[in-house]
Amino acid sequence: MECAESGCSESATVRLHVPWAENREVCAGHARVLVRQDGVVADPLTNGDEWP
């Protein structure tokens, strides 16, 4: 699965739960920035114990 942010071709590794918009899957880099907004929660999309 590819990152939902426009112009990004990285693999999605995080699902963001955004209260004012639809949930979306993004890469770790975009997740680090977007999760700083109040109310945004990040859940890893991993197989096993791996975290990027």
Side-chain angles (χ1 to χ4, degrees), residues 44-52:
L45 297 173
T46 61
N47 295 330
D49 295 330
E50 223 177 277
W51 178 248

Side-chain angles (χ1 to χ4, degrees), residues 15-26:
R15 175 172 289 126
L16 295 181
H17 300 278
V18 184
W20 57 87
E22 288 188 30
N23 296 342
R24 60 185 184 245
E25 290 77 28
V26 297

